[in-house]
Amino acid sequence: MAILLLAEHDNTTVSDQTAKALSAAQKIGGDIHVLVAGKGASAAASAAAKLSGVSKVLLAESDDLANNLAEPLAALIVSLAGSYDTIIAAATSVAKNVMPRVAALLDVMQVSEITEVVSADTFKRPIYAGNAIQTVQSTDAKKVITVRTASFASAGEGGSAAVESISAAGNPGVSSHVADALSSSDRPELTSAKIIVSGGRAVGSAEKFKEVILPVADKLGAAVGASRAAVDAGYAPNDWQVGQTGKVVAPQLYIACGISGAIQHLAGMKDSKVIVAINKDEEAPIFQVADYGLVADIFEALPELEKAL
Amino acid sequence: MKILVPVKRVVDYNVKIRVKPDGSGVELANVKMSMNPFDEISVEEALRLKEAGKAEEVVVVSIGPAKAEETLRTALAMGADRAILVETDDTVEPLAVAKILKGVVEAENPGLVIVGKQAIDDDANQTGQMLAALLGWAQGTFASKVEIGADKATVTREVDGGLQTIDIKLPAVVTTDLRLNEPRYASLPNIMKAKKKPLDKKTPADFNVSTAARLKVLKTEEPEGRKAGVKVKSVAELVEKLKTEAGVL
Ligand SMILES: Cc1cc2nc3c(=O)[nH]c(=O)nc-3n(C[C@H](O)[C@H](O)[C@H](O)COP(=O)(O)OP(=O)(O)OC[C@H]3O[C@@H](n4cnc5c(N)ncnc54)[C@H](O)[C@@H]3O)c2cc1C
Ligand SMILES: Nc1ncnc2c1ncn2[C@@H]1O[C@H](COP(=O)(O)O)[C@@H](O)[C@H]1O
């Protein structure tokens, strides 16, 4: 059984989420090949080759593949699919975009966001914002799978796979890239951070987010998250949203500040090891999942916390 | 241009669902059902495009039980022109939904299909991408902004690192993210009017699509619960506990 793992990379390194999806692939079992698609991505391919348990890295480079457009990337993966029983990727925005396209082209029902590998064809996955867990068995000949990375540890290094250059599969030519507006930050990434400080509607403005949330995060070397209400109101950028329709995180410590604890938010953080909630309403549902609850005004508690750290 | 909007009937997002004690699934009897929130956003976007003169007709389609007619009527009350119910009592997986939608597209020839990013029951996030694949069309997923040009759409997408803007050739499939717009409420007069708008009934067989499941559901269970912990009295006590008891600082 051979497995093709689609790598998420920035041309030089392979993301930690890919290393986590690799752990899931290892549990499925079989020869694991990693696909690095892009342009000028040979350093990322070398990095992928060092991951433990990878037996080969396929490097496909072309202008068409430079921006992860779904149509040419799906065409490439489908062109390789004949040699694999399983095609797998971390459930990042790139994979969520392209993998269902691959699945449909292969006439396969994708298994989305698995949290556990029961066997090579049977997986657990959350439904209803994580309020139920389904065990599903795929009856398709090929499996197309995305992995919820918060549920898997990162595979280590120590591999020395060969890198093989392959050609792109051509571009259907129906889409083109216009621009990226990516937020750059020195803070750790949400999905691999050990500590996350998250702010909700209570924060009140983008300025207040900077004033009360960021200093605590920086003191802790933490990533910053937000509720949907805070993002919708423009207090925080969209890529900070944690929840059912945002990012799913499982840090060692999650500090929820002025967040009520709607099920859609809990869906994205309730697997954190330790949860702290600071909320001035002692009845807030967030306290039902918090290991440590502090009933307080965030505008008093957070500056105090920052000083105490 | 005609716009096609698939809408799914799902458990209302405010309901905390219960898993059946025998592990066979989720309790759906006597539970409040609503239109999938992302599909409300899709309907709204289609209506705004029509109001802006970019589209002439908005057709909504749902695949589901007879009761999905209520969901379609809601979309008609919001302002959609016409509805199609593809009736089945089976649980239809995204791949089969996409195949049925492909059949609807071939019959209706829309210039744009606006699909929700994900259904909040199965959380699959697949259908739009699958439909685009089956049609050989471009896809603009997780859209927070859509601009329609002469023969292309410019779509701003919510991605992990921020935003990405792409151009896609029309006809195309767009999937909607939460921040695309704020859906309107249907007014009472429009709810009354919606009762008289045309609604066509079909079956999956009309499109030669089998709804047999590819994923066998072996079990449905409650997630491991989390217990409420302790309340601390002060920031000092919190820091102390995080250091000594939890060991995370
Ligand atoms: C389809 C769908 C998908 C969704 N996806 C997500 C998602 O991915 N992520 C997400 O987060 N939400 C999501 N939501 C929204 C979710 O339902 C809630 O509306 C949202 O999480 C609320 O955000 P909040 O807790 O910041 O705001 P609120 O619910 O308004 O809570 C604010 C809290 O702050 C407290 N507070 C106020 N002032 C202070 C103060 N000075 N000090 C301390 N505490 C204070 C209040 O007591 C309250 O508990 C989704 C909703 C839908 C319908
Ligand atoms: N049974 C259905 N009827 C109509 N539209 C559907 C159906 N299932 C899925 N969809 C559409 O596909 C989107 C994504 O669903 P999913 O891929 O299941 O997460 C939804 O927001 C709907 O727009």
Side-chain angles (χ1 to χ4, degrees):
Chain A
M1 287 250 278
I3 301 175
L4 183 66
L5 168 64
L6 172 67
E8 171 103 354
H9 65 87
D10 61 1
N11 284 340
T12 36
T13 57
V14 172
S15 79
D16 181 47
Q17 292 183 277
T18 301
K20 290 176 172 166
L22 175 56
S23 293
Q26 287 168 343
K27 294 212 169 93
I28 292 169
D31 219 13
I32 302 171
H33 297 176
V34 175
L35 172 63
V36 175
K39 175 122 197 281
S42 60
S46 310
K50 293 199 185 78
L51 290 171
S52 82
V54 173
S55 64
K56 188 156 79 173
V57 175
L58 304 176
L59 173 62
E61 296 188 281
S62 80
D63 290 338
D64 296 334
L65 295 171
N67 299 296
N68 292 315
L69 288 171
E71 299 82 5
L73 183 54
L76 170 68
I77 297 170
V78 169
S79 76
L80 301 169
S83 316
Y84 300 95
D85 304 299
T86 301
I87 302 170
I88 192 167
T92 62
S93 56
V94 170
K96 288 178 188 169
N97 187 33
V98 75
M99 294 291 269
R101 192 170 178 106
V102 170
L105 292 171
L106 297 172
D107 194 25
V108 167
M109 179 54 209
Q110 170 175 295
V111 191
S112 293
E113 306 224 15
I114 62 164
T115 51
E116 195 180 317
V117 175
V118 178
S119 72
D121 66 2
T122 304
F123 311 92
K124 289 194 179 184
R125 62 175 304 265
I127 55 173
Y128 288 95
N131 287 302
I133 309 292
Q134 250 182 5
T135 304
V136 294
Q137 181 175 33
S138 167
T139 58
D140 285 313
K142 278 189 206 303
K143 322 286 179 234
V144 175
I145 298 166
T146 65
V147 178
R148 178 162 287 190
T149 53
S151 306
F152 294 87
S154 310
E157 296 205 335
S160 57
V163 177
E164 183 186 314
S165 283
I166 59 168
S167 49
N171 187 349
V174 288
S175 58
S176 57
H177 180 257
V178 177
D180 283 327
L182 302 183
S183 38
S184 63
S185 142
D186 299 333
R187 295 194 186 88
E189 261 217 83
L190 263 178
T191 49
S192 48
K194 296 225 160 29
I195 304 179
I196 295 173
V197 182
S198 253
R201 193 197 307 272
V203 179
S205 69
E207 292 68 45
K208 287 285 175 198
F209 225 97
K210 284 202 193 85
E211 235 176 272
V212 300
I213 302 286
L214 301 195
V216 177
D218 290 342
K219 202 76 172 268
L220 290 166
V224 185
S227 71
R228 174 189 170 189
V231 175
D232 282 4
Y235 309 161
N238 68 283
D239 50 302
W240 288 4
Q241 182 178 317
V242 170
Q244 181 185 18
T245 53
K247 290 188 173 130
V248 180
V249 299
Q252 294 290 305
L253 173 61
Y254 188 92
I255 308 181
C257 311
I259 293 178
S260 60
I263 47 177
Q264 292 87 6
H265 189 79
L266 301 186
M269 44 65 79
K270 70 177 161 49
D271 293 329
S272 304
K273 184 163 170 268
V274 174
I275 296 173
V276 170
I278 306 176
N279 195 306
K280 70 177 182 192
D281 172 11
E282 63 177 315
E283 302 288 317
I286 189 80
F287 287 125
Q288 290 163 21
V289 299
D291 300 284
Y292 301 102
L294 177 62
V295 179
D297 187 321
I298 52 168
F299 299 108
E300 285 160 21
L302 288 175
E304 206 186 314
L305 177 61
E306 196 248 333
K307 280 200 207 87
L309 291 168
Chain B
M1 178 171 77
K2 187 192 284 185
I3 301 179
L4 183 72
V5 182
V7 297
K8 186 177 187 187
R9 178 177 186 263
V10 298
V11 172
D12 186 84
Y13 80 97
N14 274 316
V15 173
K16 175 131 175 29
I17 57 96
R18 270 178 225 291
V19 173
K20 287 185 191 161
D22 66 357
S24 66
V26 165
E27 192 57 72
L28 295 180
N30 302 319
V31 170
K32 182 176 180 213
M33 306 293 283
S34 298
M35 190 189 308
N36 185 42
F38 288 94
D39 303 349
E40 291 182 346
I41 295 173
S42 305
V43 173
E44 177 66 35
E45 194 65 14
L47 295 176
R48 288 187 192 187
L49 287 170
K50 188 182 165 190
E51 286 156 5
K54 304 275 185 193
E56 289 86 50
E57 192 184 22
V58 176
V59 179
V60 288
V61 52
S62 191
I63 296 132
K67 285 221 162 137
E69 178 169 343
E70 289 167 14
T71 313
L72 289 167
R73 294 282 172 207
T74 304
L76 294 171
M78 286 173 75
D81 298 293
R82 186 154 74 72
I84 302 167
L85 172 61
V86 183
E87 201 175 323
T88 169
D89 286 327
D90 296 343
T91 302
V92 190
E93 293 173 341
L95 180 62
V97 170
K99 288 179 180 177
I100 292 168
L101 291 176
K102 176 174 184 259
V104 176
V105 165
E106 282 162 355
E108 295 281 342
N109 284 311
L112 185 66
V113 186
I114 309 182
V115 185
K117 159 168 128 170
Q118 89 194 45
I120 60 163
D121 50 2
D122 64 17
D123 282 333
N125 189 344
Q126 299 178 9
T127 306
Q129 298 89 314
M130 288 182 154
L131 175 63
L134 297 176
L135 292 165
W137 289 5
Q139 64 188 55
T141 54
F142 324 149
S144 61
K145 190 168 168 206
V146 179
E147 286 168 297
I148 303 293
D151 53 0
K152 62 164 194 183
T154 302
V155 178
T156 303
R157 311 179 49 234
E158 296 207 355
V159 296
D160 286 346
L163 296 170
Q164 179 187 59
T165 305
I166 59 171
D167 277 343
I168 51 177
K169 217 173 117 188
L170 295 176
V173 175
V174 164
T175 79
T176 53
D177 218 317
L178 294 170
R179 278 165 286 278
L180 183 59
N181 61 46
E182 262 206 57
R184 69 194 65 187
Y185 291 101
S187 67
L188 200 58
N190 286 343
I191 293 172
M192 300 312 289
K193 260 195 254 164
K195 295 191 173 146
K196 295 200 196 76
K197 289 190 180 175
L199 186 144
D200 256 6
K201 287 191 182 167
K202 302 268 184 205
T203 66
D206 292 337
F207 302 99
N208 284 320
V209 176
S210 153
T211 54
R214 303 289 190 87
L215 299 184
K216 233 176 19 197
V217 179
L218 303 182
K219 189 164 64 178
T220 305
E221 58 200 322
E222 297 261 359
E224 265 172 55
R226 253 195 116 94
K227 278 201 214 76
V230 297
K231 290 251 169 67
V232 292
K233 298 234 153 25
S234 66
V235 168
E237 188 189 347
L238 175 64
V239 173
E240 168 66 21
K241 285 223 150 69
L242 291 177
K243 280 189 177 149
T244 54
E245 199 175 273
V248 289
L249 284 187

